[in-house]
């Protein structure tokens, strides 16, 4: 075949790109999750012990440690005058550390809640608010009494929707005594309701996307119960303690662990 003689600058660029790819490939094979090398390590550990959570915890821990090492290396380079290089080391370290910790948290949640039905967490004996009372009465006799941030609203036994502290805060205090719950009730929607047949992971995902810590469990527009983030965290803490060896003593500790 015919040999192509590239100009000197082009050859230099090609050689640089070739070495860059080799360096990136080598970096990617470092046994620190979520890099490919970390995934390979996790697969090996999983095969050895047959425990995916243990393998993920080890490989993610190495990934978090490697991320911290890069962050420290970045600070050292920055202090030494290599500002651009130091900044890149630090940012890459933050990304790897965050991704490795998040991967383990996601596995904990999936193992604890995956496949669990809503009925595990649903409270059937629900405190509901009537449409006829004023917002002031609702605050005094419901929010301050039961300490929930959301209440289903009913009228003659029919579910009308829900009312939350967020909706109350959008109403000026001067109107609390004259406005009724019927004036501010939020109709039932996909944001505040869930089917009793749904998976617990779907409920958690809905809570995360909407910011609602309580959801109404409904079927054919009938209120069956309420599911709360607090009850789900309690279940997760207990299950992780009993089945996975995660020493978690309360839902608040679990919440901090998953943040």
């Amino acid at each position: 075949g015919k040999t192509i003689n590239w100009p000197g600058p082009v050859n230099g660029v090609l050689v640089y790109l070739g070495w860059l790819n080799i360096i990136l490939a080598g970096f990617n094979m470092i046994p620190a999750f979520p890099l490919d090398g970390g995934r390979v390590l996790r697969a090996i550990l999983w095969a050895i012990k047959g425990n995916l959570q243990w393998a993920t915890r080890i490989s993610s821990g190495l990934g978090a440690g490697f991320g911290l090492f890069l962050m420290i290396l970045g600070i050292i380079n920055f202090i030494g005058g290599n500002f651009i290089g130091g900044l890149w080391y630090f940012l890459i370290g933050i990304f790897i550390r965050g991704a490795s910790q998040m991967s383990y948290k996601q596995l904990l949640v999936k193992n604890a809640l995956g496949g669990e039905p809503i009925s595990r967490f649903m409270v059937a004996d629900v405190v509901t608010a009537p449409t006829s009372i004023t917002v002031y009465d609702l605050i005094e006799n419901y929010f301050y009494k039961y300490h929930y941030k959301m209440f289903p609203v009913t009228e003659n036994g029919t579910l009308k929707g829900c009312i939350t502290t967020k909706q109350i805060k959008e109403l000026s205090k001067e109107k609390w005594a004259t406005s009724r719950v019927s004036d501010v009730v939020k109709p039932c929607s996909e944001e505040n309701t869930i089917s009793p047949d749904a998976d617990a992971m779907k409920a958690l995902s809905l809570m995360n996307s909407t910011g609602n810590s309580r959801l109404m469990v409904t079927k054919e527009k009938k209120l069956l119960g309420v599911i709360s983030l607090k009850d789900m965290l309690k279940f997760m803490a207990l299950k992780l303690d009993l089945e996975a060896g995660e020493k978690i003593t309360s839902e608040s500790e679990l919440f901090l662990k998953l943040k």
Side-chain angles (χ1 to χ4, degrees):
K2 187 177 180 181
T3 302
I4 300 177
N5 294 319
W6 296 101
V10 175
N11 280 327
V13 171
L14 293 175
V15 171
Y16 172 78
L17 291 175
W19 277 109
L20 182 61
N21 283 328
I22 293 173
I23 292 171
L24 288 175
F27 178 83
N28 197 38
M29 288 309 296
I30 293 174
F33 200 85
L35 299 177
D36 286 346
R39 296 180 186 276
V40 172
L41 174 63
R42 183 177 72 162
I44 294 173
L45 295 174
W46 186 9
I48 291 173
K49 198 169 181 178
N51 188 324
L52 178 59
Q53 184 167 316
W54 173 80
T56 304
R57 182 169 66 233
I58 298 300
S59 55
S60 295
L62 290 174
F66 180 63
L68 181 60
F69 167 76
L70 289 179
M71 292 167 64
I72 295 173
L73 187 63
I75 294 173
I76 293 173
N77 273 267
F78 194 85
I79 294 175
N82 184 9
F83 301 113
I84 302 299
L87 181 61
W88 274 110
Y89 277 127
F90 190 81
L91 292 177
I92 292 172
I94 288 178
F95 171 77
I96 292 178
R97 183 173 174 83
S100 62
Q101 292 175 332
M102 182 57 66
S103 65
Y104 183 58
K105 293 172 183 177
Q106 289 174 342
L107 182 67
L108 284 178
V109 174
K110 185 176 180 180
N111 283 354
L113 295 182
E116 295 290 351
I118 295 295
S119 57
R120 281 268 200 176
F121 320 97
M122 186 183 77
V123 176
D125 186 16
V126 185
V127 178
T128 62
T131 57
S132 58
I133 63 174
T134 64
V135 171
Y136 178 82
D137 289 335
L138 176 75
I139 293 171
E140 289 294 326
N141 299 317
Y142 287 85
F143 284 107
Y144 289 165
K145 181 178 179 179
Y146 297 102
H147 312 148
Y148 298 142
K149 291 187 176 182
M150 183 277 286
F151 287 96
V153 177
T154 58
E155 184 177 15
N156 298 323
T158 303
L159 179 64
K160 293 296 183 180
C162 70
I163 190 163
T164 66
T165 53
K166 182 179 179 181
Q167 293 164 254
I168 299 297
K169 287 188 290 186
E170 291 174 352
L171 190 68
S172 62
K173 290 185 178 181
E174 292 76 15
K175 296 183 178 180
W176 285 4
T178 56
S179 298
R180 300 202 172 272
V181 171
S182 56
D183 299 326
V184 291
V185 62
K186 185 177 182 181
C188 297
S189 69
E190 293 183 353
E191 290 189 355
N192 54 34
T193 62
I194 192 164
S195 166
D197 303 321
D199 186 275
M201 285 296 293
K202 182 179 179 180
L204 189 64
S205 176
L206 183 59
M207 289 177 181
N208 183 57
S209 62
T210 62
N212 296 327
S213 60
R214 299 182 86 214
L215 299 173
M216 297 181 293
V217 183
T218 61
K219 189 171 185 178
E220 298 176 354
K221 298 183 179 181
K222 293 183 179 180
L223 179 66
L224 301 181
V226 167
I227 181 173
S228 71
L229 177 60
K230 184 176 181 180
D231 290 336
M232 294 176 73
L233 289 177
K234 282 182 178 180
F235 176 85
M236 285 177 62
L238 182 60
K239 189 171 183 179
L240 290 173
D241 184 28
L242 291 175
E243 298 183 13
E246 295 286 338
K247 300 302 180 183
I248 300 170
T249 58
S250 65
E251 66 272 13
S252 58
E253 181 184 342
L254 176 61
F255 182 76
L256 292 174
K257 187 180 183 70
L258 296 178
K259 285 187 68 176

